[in-house]
């Protein structure tokens, strides 16, 4: 009977919804426990071990986080360089940071607001994140000096030169202000590209942190995606020859090649961007460099 059939369908949908909610809840419990373990490691383990051990702990913690979120990683080996370098990468999601940390140890540049976030900001500070006051040229100079000091001592520093996140299908114009330390120190720039796919290889928009989506909505969308594949590729190091604008253009082309996408500055050669971050001057500091998402709203 049609009525009985409708009841069975509704019951099946209800049961599927309950199962999905329980699965999501179990992942959230695991995630909360993992964050707590991160706090414990930052308090009691990281201060007591040397830098190589710190790097391994951070990489393992990042891989475990991605596993809890049901994100499988496919990472190519990064270039072997004897000294410091500047890593530049496209920016899709707040989980980009953990994908890169799962590959190798870098120091990120983040907006200063992140430092004030409960737990997340504290953890970012404990693992050596540099915090930038956006819109202040003097603070950009300060961050450039700190980046230079790190690269001078053999560390890698990572920035997202697009200055904001995208849906992962294209590339925005690279802003050059945070590439100046590489030019000043003659440090190579390492291009990297990341993308997210479904388990069967199709493009996935689930991780994209765009359109004012809240952290909670982003997190649940990732958990509800049914599993993701995160791919991270590295390109050949770029020598820092010339002006930082030229370096930004070369890095943008290299990342676009890794993504099989057209560089943003090549999509409309006779016009300037008309809105958003792309409308900023090429020398203006990025508004949202290398940062995790805003706090839950």
């Amino acid at each position: 009977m049609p009525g009985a059939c409708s009841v069975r369908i509704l019951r099946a949908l209800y049961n599927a919804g309950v199962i999905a909610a329980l699965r999501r809840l179990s992942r959230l419990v695991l995630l909360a426990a993992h964050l707590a373990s991160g706090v414990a490691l930052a308090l009691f383990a990281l201060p007591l071990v040397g830098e190589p051990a710190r790097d391994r702990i951070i990489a393992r913690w990042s891989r475990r986080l991605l596993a809890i979120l049901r994100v499988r990683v496919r990472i190519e080996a990064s270039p072997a360089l004897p000294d410091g370098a500047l890593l530049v990468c496209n920016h899709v999601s707040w989980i980009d940071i953990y994908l890169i940390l799962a590959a190798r140890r870098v120091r990120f540049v983040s907006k200063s607001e992140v430092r004030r976030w409960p737990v997340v900001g504290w953890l970012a500070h404990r693992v050596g994140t540099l915090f930038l006051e956006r819109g202040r040229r003097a603070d950009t100079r300060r961050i450039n000096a700190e980046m230079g000091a790190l690269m001078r001592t053999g560390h890698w520093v990572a920035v997202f030169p697009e200055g904001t996140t995208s849906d992962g299908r294209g590339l925005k114009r690279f802003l050059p202000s945070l590439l100046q330390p590489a030019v000043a120190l003659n440090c190579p720039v390492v291009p990297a590209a990341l993308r997210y796919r479904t388990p069967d290889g199709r493009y996935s928009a689930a991780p994209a942190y765009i359109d004012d989506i809240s952290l909670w909505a982003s997190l649940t969308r990732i958990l509800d995606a049914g599993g993701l594949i995160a791919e991270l590729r590295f390109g050949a190091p770029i020598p820092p020859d010339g002006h930082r604008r030229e370096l930004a253009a070369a890095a943008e082309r290299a990342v676009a090649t890794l993504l099989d996408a057209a560089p943003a500055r090549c999509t409309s050669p006779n016009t300037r961007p008309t809105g958003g971050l792309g409308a900023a001057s090429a020398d203006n500091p990025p508004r949202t460099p290398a940062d995790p998402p805003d706090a839950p709203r």
Side-chain angles (χ1 to χ4, degrees):
M1 295 178 61
C5 182
S6 298
V7 169
R8 285 196 297 270
I9 292 173
L10 290 174
R11 184 176 297 163
L13 291 174
Y14 173 79
N15 291 336
V18 170
I19 292 172
L22 289 175
R23 286 175 177 170
R24 181 195 294 176
L25 178 61
S26 67
R27 293 283 167 175
L28 291 173
V29 171
L30 288 174
L31 180 60
H34 191 60
L35 288 174
S37 74
V39 172
L41 288 171
L43 280 174
F44 304 114
L46 297 186
L48 301 178
V49 298
E51 190 166 348
R54 285 170 57 93
D55 295 349
R56 289 192 295 271
I57 290 171
I58 292 169
R60 284 198 300 267
W61 192 90
S62 298
R63 293 190 194 103
R64 177 57 181 160
L65 174 68
L66 294 170
I68 291 171
L69 297 176
R70 302 181 69 190
V71 177
R72 289 187 291 163
V73 298
R74 294 176 181 170
I75 300 174
E76 293 184 357
S78 60
L81 297 173
D83 298 309
L86 180 66
L87 179 71
V88 297
C89 189
N90 64 309
H91 198 11
V92 178
S93 176
W94 54 275
I95 61 175
D96 297 349
I97 293 170
Y98 306 104
L99 176 58
I100 295 172
L101 287 175
R104 67 158 296 123
R105 179 72 167 106
V106 300
R107 304 290 184 88
F108 283 96
V109 177
S110 178
K111 62 182 182 180
S112 59
E113 292 90 334
V114 174
R115 179 65 184 90
R116 297 189 289 271
W117 294 349
V119 184
V120 174
W122 182 83
L123 283 173
H125 170 68
R126 297 289 290 191
V127 298
T129 300
L130 306 179
F131 295 102
L132 170 69
E133 291 282 350
R134 297 176 298 173
R136 291 183 53 197
R137 288 185 180 272
D139 207 55
T140 301
R141 289 192 292 271
R142 176 187 65 84
I143 287 295
N144 282 343
E146 293 185 10
M147 292 169 62
L150 286 168
M151 290 189 288
R152 194 179 294 112
T153 55
H155 293 86
W156 284 34
V157 178
V159 297
F160 296 121
E162 292 170 289
T164 186
T165 52
S166 72
D167 64 5
R169 286 180 289 194
L171 197 64
K172 298 180 183 294
R173 186 183 180 99
F174 277 17
L175 304 175
S177 59
L178 293 179
L179 275 63
Q180 180 59 35
V183 175
L185 294 175
N186 197 35
C187 279
V189 172
V190 178
L194 52 84
R195 71 176 107 208
Y196 298 93
R197 300 184 186 274
T198 61
D200 60 1
R202 293 177 292 110
Y203 160 81
S204 176
Y209 194 77
I210 55 175
D211 299 331
D212 296 323
I213 187 174
S214 69
L215 175 58
W216 174 255
S218 175
L219 175 61
T220 55
R221 192 165 67 178
I222 291 170
L223 290 175
D224 292 343
L228 293 168
I229 305 295
E231 300 175 347
L232 178 61
R233 302 178 62 195
F234 295 92
I238 302 170
D241 300 329
H243 193 275
R244 63 189 180 193
R245 291 192 189 95
E246 299 167 359
L247 184 58
E252 184 182 313
R253 288 192 297 270
V255 174
T257 298
L258 292 170
L259 288 172
D260 299 320
R265 64 190 72 234
C266 296
T267 56
S268 182
N270 298 320
T271 60
R272 290 185 178 182
T274 57
L277 289 172
S281 164
D283 284 323
N284 284 345
R287 297 184 189 176
T288 56
D291 50 6
D294 290 335
R297 288 183 279 275

